[in-house]
Amino acid sequence: MHGHHEISSSSGGSSPTSLSDPSVDSDDGSATTDEYCPDDPREFRRHVSFFSPSVLAEVDPTSFRPITPSFSCVLADVDKHLQRMVLLLPAFSAAAAAPRADALRQWLAGFDVGWVLDMDERRSLPRREVGRRVRAWAQALGTMERVFRHRHREVRSPVNDAAAAELAALGQLAAESAGAMLRLAGSVAALGSSPSKLLAALDVHAPVSEAYPGLARMFSWPPSHPVSAASDAALAGLVDASRRCVRDLRAFIRAPQYPWRMPQGGEVHPCVGFWMGYLRCMLRNRVSLYFVLAGGNADSDSPLAPDEGGLVTELISCLEAVLEEKSAALAFPGLRHIFMLNNTSAILRRAVRSDLSMLLPPGWVLAREERMEGYIKDYLQMSWGPVVSRLDGKPGALNVLRRRNPLSAFYLALENTCIMQGGWKVPSPALRAALRRTVSGNVVPAYRRYLGDHPEVEVPAGRTVEELENQLSELFEG
């Protein structure tokens, strides 16, 4: 795994390298780095509104929500379920199957997961319900395991036949409950490969790998016990399904069905927030992801990254490459560089402000900072180099092609550039301020020097050095 690195700056002042500091800036056109893991599915849909309806239909927004339950009422929940257990346990010590089936359904329904009994291999899980069901299932499994553990402590040392019978019934209820709950794992593994399926598979793998060994120890189930065997098979199926999804992630990032509609002001593309948020969600079950990546290259023509850090680095590089390719569609001179500057800055800040930063290799931040400096340099050369070059002539001399003197040519080029870039936007306040200073630092001194070298030139109204600085300070508002 890649080690944690120190975030450093190669230069000071208005250099964009300072913008990797999380304390500098908090606005790249969106609220926080958490917004692509929103709690409200409606927020998720708002952020991916650039995507087509067919793509949205394949994405379950609730897959991007954390599955950790609220523990404020856990004790009350345990007590409530213990009371239900007392009423239902007799059915699991009886020989009749019908009342046991009814009791099992009632037991699971009390956890809001009675629907697992209706799942089978012939009925696929609706993709739009995956996230919601996985969340409910994970919370139910965790609560159920606590209830069994609590009751088992009370009856594990039977002093009479009645207590021994209750312990046997408790084990039977646990086995049938655990077996029924595994049906979701099979349904998730059977889904078609997609980004949300990977999150769901990891979210199911983690609680199964934690809860089922504990139940087996609690009730002394051997490896050959049906529940133990089924849980091992379910975990293996989830790992295999997750590996297929991981191998497809690069293709998902490049997916042609995503309409790469480019922001015409050069802003941050919605896909940046989506995928950077997705990577964070993927890491919420790092142990499960470790098992997916470990040994995933055996007998495969598509090798997996060696660890979580390698996977994150690889996928971010893929995203950056796609952005670079798509930026060619921006026709105005310099706009491509503003677009890449905005998006590289957004990727950098989202990475260093999150747990992704612990997985990135040494030099990763510095490489992006240097890349941003390159985008600024190319933007200045493309957009403002031709403007400043108009001042190279002598006052009164006519430009052969434009038939006007250098100062008039400068004013015209300046106005044309400001008008063309009037809709360009740099959402990050710190980056916007730094870019304005850089533009002003290249244009204003040249203009001041020209006027100083040619005192005989009459400066038109509204064309003083200070007024030029004010004009340039309004750039990149969009």
Side-chain angles (χ1 to χ4, degrees):
M1 183 181 300
H2 296 296
H4 181 60
H5 58 267
E6 294 295 328
I7 300 169
S8 61
S9 174
S10 59
S11 61
S14 61
S15 170
T17 56
S18 63
L19 299 180
S20 63
D21 184 349
S23 64
V24 172
D25 192 15
S26 63
D27 186 4
D28 59 7
S30 50
T32 70
T33 54
D34 291 321
E35 67 175 311
Y36 285 88
C37 297
D39 287 330
D40 186 347
R42 292 172 297 181
E43 286 295 294
F44 176 90
R45 295 188 68 85
R46 179 172 68 83
H47 292 306
V48 296
S49 59
F50 266 49
F51 298 156
S52 67
S54 62
V55 172
L56 284 174
E58 292 298 308
V59 179
D60 178 12
T62 59
S63 294
F64 290 77
R65 295 165 60 183
I67 64 170
T68 53
S70 171
F71 291 101
S72 60
C73 59
V74 165
L75 294 179
D77 285 346
V78 169
D79 184 63
K80 176 187 70 175
H81 294 305
L82 283 171
Q83 294 176 28
R84 293 194 312 111
M85 178 183 284
V86 170
L87 299 176
L88 296 173
L89 266 182
F92 292 89
S93 60
R100 179 175 296 179
D102 293 341
L104 179 61
R105 183 172 292 275
Q106 291 181 48
W107 173 247
L108 295 175
F111 295 93
D112 296 324
V113 289
W115 43 265
V116 298
L117 294 172
D118 300 320
M119 303 180 71
D120 56 41
E121 296 179 356
R122 297 187 301 273
R123 298 177 58 185
S124 61
L125 182 64
R127 188 181 296 276
R128 295 293 303 162
E129 297 183 15
V130 173
R132 177 182 63 82
R133 294 201 180 189
V134 168
R135 284 170 57 85
W137 176 93
Q139 183 165 344
L141 182 61
T143 305
M144 200 179 301
E145 192 268 342
R146 286 190 291 273
V147 172
F148 283 123
R149 187 169 62 244
H150 188 282
R151 188 58 180 167
H152 185 267
R153 281 198 299 265
E154 295 180 345
V155 300
R156 61 184 173 183
S157 299
V159 295
N160 53 47
D161 292 343
E166 181 178 352
L167 185 60
L170 184 64
Q172 187 63 36
L173 174 58
E176 296 201 21
S177 300
M181 293 290 281
L182 284 175
R183 296 186 185 188
L184 178 71
S187 295
V188 169
L191 290 171
S193 182
S194 72
S196 56
K197 175 189 174 175
L198 175 59
L199 298 185
L202 294 175
D203 285 343
V204 172
H205 183 280
V208 170
S209 63
E210 294 168 3
Y212 280 72
L215 289 173
R217 289 191 298 271
M218 189 185 309
F219 294 104
S220 301
W221 295 336
S224 59
H225 188 277
V227 173
S228 298
S231 65
D232 289 344
L235 290 173
L238 290 168
V239 167
D240 288 343
S242 297
R243 284 173 179 163
R244 289 192 293 272
C245 291
V246 169
R247 289 191 174 94
D248 291 340
L249 281 178
R250 288 180 294 276
F252 291 140
I253 293 175
R254 293 181 171 275
Q257 66 263 31
Y258 284 85
W260 276 86
R261 189 169 56 192
M262 302 297 289
Q264 293 306 302
E267 304 97 317
V268 178
H269 197 283
C271 73
V272 170
F274 177 92
W275 285 111
M276 295 301 288
Y278 180 88
L279 294 180
R280 292 186 59 198
C281 291
M282 186 176 65
L283 293 175
R284 66 192 175 200
N285 293 306
R286 287 185 61 183
V287 173
S288 294
L289 184 60
Y290 170 82
F291 283 110
V292 170
L293 298 177
N297 296 326
D299 301 324
S300 174
D301 296 330
S302 179
L304 299 178
D307 52 33
E308 308 98 298
L311 179 62
V312 167
T313 303
E314 181 181 306
L315 293 177
I316 292 178
S317 295
C318 179
L319 175 61
E320 291 171 328
V322 174
L323 290 167
E324 189 79 47
E325 293 169 7
K326 300 301 180 180
S327 69
L330 299 171
F332 291 110
L335 180 56
R336 185 180 79 85
H337 305 103
I338 294 297
F339 173 78
M340 289 306 303
L341 177 65
N342 278 330
N343 283 271
T344 302
S345 174
I347 290 173
L348 177 59
R349 287 199 306 277
R350 288 176 182 272
V352 300
R353 290 177 179 179
S354 70
D355 49 0
L356 297 177
S357 62
M358 298 184 294
L359 302 175
L360 297 172
W364 188 92
V365 170
L366 180 60
R368 270 72 191 167
E369 291 172 343
E370 292 176 346
R371 195 177 296 172
M372 290 168 62
E373 291 178 341
Y375 290 136
I376 291 179
K377 180 180 179 181
D378 292 343
Y379 161 74
L380 290 174
Q381 181 178 355
M382 185 76 67
S383 293
W384 297 101
V387 176
V388 174
S389 68
R390 298 298 196 275
L391 297 173
D392 291 342
K394 297 179 180 179
L398 295 179
N399 182 294
V400 176
L401 297 178
R402 297 185 177 274
R403 307 294 296 172
R404 60 176 60 90
N405 65 48
L407 202 56
S408 297
F410 170 78
Y411 292 146
L412 180 60
L414 174 70
E415 290 303 317
N416 287 341
T417 300
C418 288
I419 291 173
M420 181 180 66
Q421 299 188 12
W424 296 10
K425 186 173 183 178
V426 177
S428 162
L431 183 58
R432 182 169 62 245
L435 191 55
R436 285 171 174 169
R437 289 195 297 269
T438 304
V439 171
S440 182
N442 279 263
V443 178
V444 173
Y447 182 58
R448 182 184 289 113
R449 185 167 53 251
Y450 181 91
L451 296 181
D453 292 344
H454 305 287
E456 73 279 7
V457 173
E458 183 177 349
V459 179
R463 295 296 188 182
T464 65
V465 172
E466 292 74 17
E467 287 167 323
L468 175 60
E469 288 179 326
N470 291 335
Q471 183 177 6
L472 295 177
S473 70
E474 297 175 356
L475 290 171
F476 314 118
E477 288 287 354

